[in-house]
Amino acid sequence: MDLTAVREVVDGRIPLPWRQGDAWLAGGTTLFAEPRPGLRRLRDLTTHGWPPLTVTEAGIEVAATCTITELLAFAETPGTRWPSGRALIAGCCRAFSSSFKVWNTATVGGNLCAALPAGPMISMAVALSGTCRVRGLDGAERVMPVQDFVTGPGSTGLAPGELLRSLTLPAGALAARSLMRRVNTHAWGRSVALVTGTRGREEGRLSVTVTAATTRPVTVVFECVPSPDELRGSLLSALPRRLLLDDVHGRPPWRRHLAVHLAEKVRSTLAEER
């Protein structure tokens, strides 16, 4: 969709003062998806030339401008390092309600900053204990967990003028056993409930996160694998109606039911793995 009110696109490296009507531009697949009459100037992040992925012993740093195609290619590259974490990344990449053509342009950072409840990069990042590296116009940086970065539908912890520089996925979370289960309305439809789970290989700690059914990510953590009743009770307490999404794709009671159902599938599968 054309953004007819935009008057200029500027190099994102230029330290111009932030003004009303500014927006950061990466892939633009969300930005150009609907009318935005208040936008006047786009600040192009792709001019930074950040490497899409940086892999170290500590984990993976994913640039905000990394495309879904680039992340998926990394996740599906044959190798023995972090096979479970790579499988979760690949599953979340393929959870987009869009074609591979969109994946060539859509970015990881854009999906996080759009903060849509069904954003699969949010699901992936929270499941893998991701942290966001946020940069201000003055160059100052701060770090915050993805769990806290997304605060509601279309709402994040970014202050005016701040940008998401990168997402870090730690090696410990990538090495844990992980699993994703989701329900969508049709083959290429958006997720109406998506549940991820991770279980530590040594300590057995189980973490279950619900997204898509909720207005923001909701996580419950257990020091060991809980019983089905314990999991259900914790999730019902953690999913009050105010946190459940209510739209044309599903009502809150149904979404809660799906979340609990998928969480049990995740729990039982991870409980059986050694």
Side-chain angles (χ1 to χ4, degrees), residues 10 33 72-73 89 102 109 117 145 148 164 169 171 188-189 191-192 204 219 243 257 259:
V10 299
L72 180 60
I89 292 171
V102 175
D148 300 328
L164 175 61
L169 305 175
W188 290 101
S191 302
V192 293
T219 301
L243 288 183
H257 167 76

Side-chain angles (χ1 to χ4, degrees), residues 54-208:
T54 304
V55 181
T56 67
E57 291 300 319
I60 307 169
E61 183 178 27
V62 185
T65 49
C66 175
T67 67
I68 306 308
T69 295
E70 290 169 328
L71 182 61
L72 180 60
F74 164 79
E76 294 186 336
T77 298
T80 58
R81 195 178 195 187
W82 307 320
S84 188
R86 285 173 181 258
L88 180 68
I89 292 171
C92 288
C93 286
R94 294 191 176 280
F96 273 87
S97 59
S98 58
S99 76
F100 68 91
K101 292 179 287 186
V102 175
W103 303 351
N104 289 330
T105 302
T107 62
V108 174
N111 195 246
L112 285 166
C113 292
L116 301 176
M121 294 297 94
I122 299 170
S123 309
M124 174 204 73
V126 174
L128 295 177
S129 302
T131 55
C132 293
R133 181 177 158 200
V134 175
R135 178 180 295 176
L137 288 173
D138 60 357
E141 294 188 348
R142 61 190 179 98
V143 175
M144 62 190 304
V146 179
Q147 181 79 46
D148 300 328
F149 181 79
V150 177
T151 57
S155 174
T156 70
L158 290 172
E162 284 188 320
L163 62 87
L164 175 61
R165 165 62 182 86
S166 62
L167 165 70
T168 298
L169 305 175
L174 289 162
R177 288 163 289 189
S178 56
L179 196 65
M180 180 196 82
R181 292 289 183 268
R182 74 177 181 123
V183 171
N184 47 315
T185 50
H186 55 85
W188 290 101
R190 71 175 63 189
S191 302
V192 293
L194 193 155
V195 175
T196 55
T198 59
R199 186 184 180 197
R201 293 191 177 277
E202 300 298 331
E203 74 281 4
R205 189 168 181 259
L206 180 71
S207 176
V208 175

Side-chain angles (χ1 to χ4, degrees), residues 8 18 28 68 149 220 238 245 248 259:
E8 57 181 330
W18 190 263
I68 306 308
F149 181 79
V220 292
L245 201 60
V248 296

